[in-house]
Amino acid sequence: MIHTLKTSSRAWMVVALLFVAGICPDQSRAEEAVTVFAAASLKESVEKIAAAWKAAGGTDVTLSFAGSSALAKQIDEGAPADVFISADLKWMDHLDKAGRIKTDSRVDLLGNRLVLVAPKDSALIATIAPDFPLAELLGKERLAMANVDAVPAGAYGKAALESLGVWDGVKDKVAQAENVRAALLLVSRGEAPLGIVYETDAKVDPGVRILDRFPETSHPAIIYPAALTTDGQNPRAADFLAYLQGADAHAIFTAAGFTVLATTN
């Protein structure tokens, strides 16, 4: 009993000191960094937005970028994220069904386009259409794509190639990467003559050039949903999610080539 009383007194003394210093426990938590898990294709844009948010009076933002599937699995296993931005609906739906996101916070934030890229100095030319000669363009080389069974960019790419009737001719020539940026790097380094990535990815890498866009009707709509996680405790996370939908973030996303779907005044 004596030990309990001493511990309780010590705890109250800490609280009292915080109030004397003008800091309440909730305020202290609010100043902690907001942790954001975001799809790899969002790296440059979200880094700029996080910096703008802090400059405008927000807190620090801790960012983690990877394939949406990898991030969703980490959140499902209890990783300490406050906000999740996926590159497709599938992985956000997965977390929603698992009770890992706050459903009422969920928004469809952005859209994107899928493109075929080659190294900057490549002489290859391609027009994407049904039955276009992708296998012939590759020859004995490989097509760089994100993992087609797990990563959104890879799944979109496979769907597009199937829709256009060329998947069977190249499925054994695919070099699958852990995320879309890793696939982009294979092309940028000249390790693959062609790759399928998001248009926004191609724009940030001077080592590649876009040969053509995939028809939007050839694959499911590319939608980036965002939401608060149920395990997230930072009260400023909701503010950051709102900031992602505001004018400053809108300008950054648009400049990067994204289509903004969710906005706030």
Side-chain angles (χ1 to χ4, degrees):
M1 178 63 71
I2 293 175
H3 176 72
T4 302
L5 287 172
K6 286 183 177 179
T7 302
S8 178
S9 297
R10 190 179 297 115
W12 279 108
M13 184 177 295
V14 170
V15 172
L17 288 172
L18 286 172
F19 275 105
V20 168
I23 303 172
C24 69
D26 285 343
Q27 180 183 342
S28 178
R29 285 198 299 271
E31 295 309 312
E32 294 176 0
V34 174
T35 301
V36 178
F37 281 19
S41 52
L42 293 166
K43 186 176 188 298
E44 291 77 14
S45 295
V46 174
E47 285 177 341
K48 290 178 182 177
I49 290 167
W53 149 263
K54 185 175 181 181
T59 62
D60 287 328
V61 180
T62 300
L63 300 170
S64 180
F65 299 99
S68 299
S69 55
L71 295 174
K73 289 173 183 176
Q74 290 173 27
I75 292 171
D76 209 6
E77 293 170 359
D82 296 307
V83 178
F84 176 47
I85 314 173
S86 174
D88 74 351
L89 300 175
K90 171 185 173 182
W91 289 106
M92 190 64 81
D93 289 344
H94 170 79
L95 292 182
D96 204 350
K97 291 176 182 176
R100 290 293 188 176
I101 65 162
K102 297 178 181 178
T103 303
D104 60 354
S105 73
R106 178 175 174 173
V107 294
D108 289 342
L109 187 65
L110 303 168
N112 210 336
R113 294 291 302 269
L114 204 63
V115 297
L116 183 68
V117 295
K120 179 182 178 181
D121 299 327
S122 171
L124 289 177
I125 298 173
T127 300
I128 297 173
D131 301 317
F132 76 107
L134 182 57
E136 288 81 352
L137 290 170
L138 288 170
K140 294 182 179 180
E141 302 297 324
R142 292 191 173 272
L143 174 67
M145 297 177 66
N147 187 300
V148 300
D149 294 318
V151 180
Y156 290 131
K158 179 181 177 182
L161 296 179
E162 287 177 332
S163 173
L164 295 166
V166 299
W167 172 250
D168 287 342
V170 301
K171 62 184 180 182
D172 295 328
K173 298 182 177 184
V174 174
Q176 297 192 53
E178 64 181 7
N179 59 60
V180 68
R181 287 301 176 87
L184 178 71
L185 195 58
L186 290 175
V187 181
S188 182
R189 288 177 174 175
E191 296 174 22
L194 294 169
I196 298 176
V197 298
Y198 297 123
E199 185 170 18
T200 53
D201 295 310
K203 287 186 174 183
V204 300
D205 192 330
V208 305
R209 64 184 181 87
I210 296 174
L211 299 186
D212 201 6
R213 284 175 165 179
F214 283 86
E216 292 187 82
T217 55
S218 68
H219 56 79
I222 299 173
I223 296 174
Y224 289 68
L228 302 175
T229 68
T230 51
D231 286 345
Q233 299 298 317
N234 194 320
R236 296 302 300 276
D239 296 333
F240 184 73
L241 181 59
Y243 191 81
L244 288 169
Q245 302 166 63
D248 292 343
H250 185 164
I252 292 170
F253 283 134
T254 301
F258 290 99
T259 301
V260 174
L261 304 178
T263 60
T264 58
N265 296 325

